[in-house]
Amino acid sequence: MKMKAASYLMIMVMLVAVACLFVLKRPDGKPWLSVQSITQSVEHNANELKRQGIDAMDQVKSHTNDLLGDSKPASSSHTQVYRWQDAKGQWHYSDKPNPHGHSQAYQIDESKITVIAAEDTSVLAAKAEQEPNNSSSKVVPTALNPAAVQQLMKDTQDVQKLMDERAKKIDEALKENR
């Protein structure tokens, strides 16, 4: 009980001491502490943190562009992209308009998209040459066709292996640039 009363007394003394800073005046006549000075201090610190965050983000972008060998300038540029639908209902996207009809034009802000380099697809081309082009031999994988499911799993493992190799190359590139 005495400990509880002593704790309350200490808290009250601290609150009175802080309140006195708002009332007592410095030699120049201004209070030692004011809401305005606290607000200005918080705004200044928030603006400083924001500036530091923007600077850090710019550094990250610069280092990322250096690592990826991106030679594009940091300024935003727009690219024209065209979209149209063929007779079968398939959508097509290109940097050139449809030569046989109407296209919808779009402006793409390159600073707002991430471009990833394409994977080497020569493995797929070599695999296609090994398989006959007979469309009847292509089997759609289903739960009822174990051979097709096994082939799908093998293809998935091959893709995983390619992705692991790419991740390893990226990690090595990052380690070299540290």
Side-chain angles (χ1 to χ4, degrees), residues 6 8-9 44 50 62 65 72 76 80 88 99 129 164:
Y8 285 133
L9 181 62
H44 173 74
K50 180 181 175 184
S62 174
N65 288 341
K72 293 180 186 175
S76 127
Q80 186 87 11
K88 296 179 182 178
E129 290 174 3
D164 291 342

Side-chain angles (χ1 to χ4, degrees), residues 17-166:
V18 170
C20 287
L21 292 174
F22 285 94
V23 176
L24 296 175
K25 308 269 189 232
R26 296 185 299 199
D28 63 357
K30 295 180 182 177
W32 285 97
L33 195 58
S34 69
V35 174
Q36 183 180 6
S37 67
I38 292 172
T39 304
Q40 288 175 346
S41 176
V42 168
E43 285 178 0
H44 173 74
N45 290 341
N47 288 335
E48 182 64 23
L49 285 173
K50 180 181 175 184
R51 186 192 58 76
Q52 289 175 357
I54 290 171
D55 290 346
M57 193 60 128
D58 289 342
Q59 287 179 348
V60 167
K61 286 179 184 177
S62 174
H63 289 301
T64 303
N65 288 341
D66 291 346
L67 287 174
L68 295 176
D70 194 4
S71 59
K72 293 180 186 175
S75 65
S76 127
S77 63
H78 295 280
T79 300
Q80 186 87 11
V81 176
Y82 300 93
R83 178 177 95 151
W84 68 91
Q85 197 170 19
D86 63 15
K88 296 179 182 178
Q90 180 80 27
W91 284 101
H92 298 272
Y93 297 87
S94 175
D95 57 348
K96 297 179 181 82
N98 181 7
H100 305 293
H102 175 70
S103 299
Q104 297 170 346
Y106 295 94
Q107 290 287 330
I108 306 282
D109 186 358
E110 293 179 10
S111 67
K112 295 182 180 176
I113 61 172
T114 302
V115 178
I116 300 173
E119 283 290 329
D120 180 18
T121 59
S122 61
V123 174
L124 300 175
K127 188 173 185 177
E129 290 174 3
Q130 293 172 355
E131 295 176 359
N133 286 339
N134 186 357
S135 61
S136 64
S137 69
K138 303 261 184 208
V139 179
V140 177
T142 65
L144 303 176
N145 187 345
V149 172
Q150 286 177 342
Q151 182 61 41
L152 181 63
M153 291 301 293
K154 183 183 178 305
D155 292 345
T156 304
Q157 290 170 348
D158 292 344
V159 169
Q160 182 64 48
K161 191 183 300 182
L162 287 172
M163 295 303 293
D164 291 342
E165 289 172 5
R166 181 180 177 124

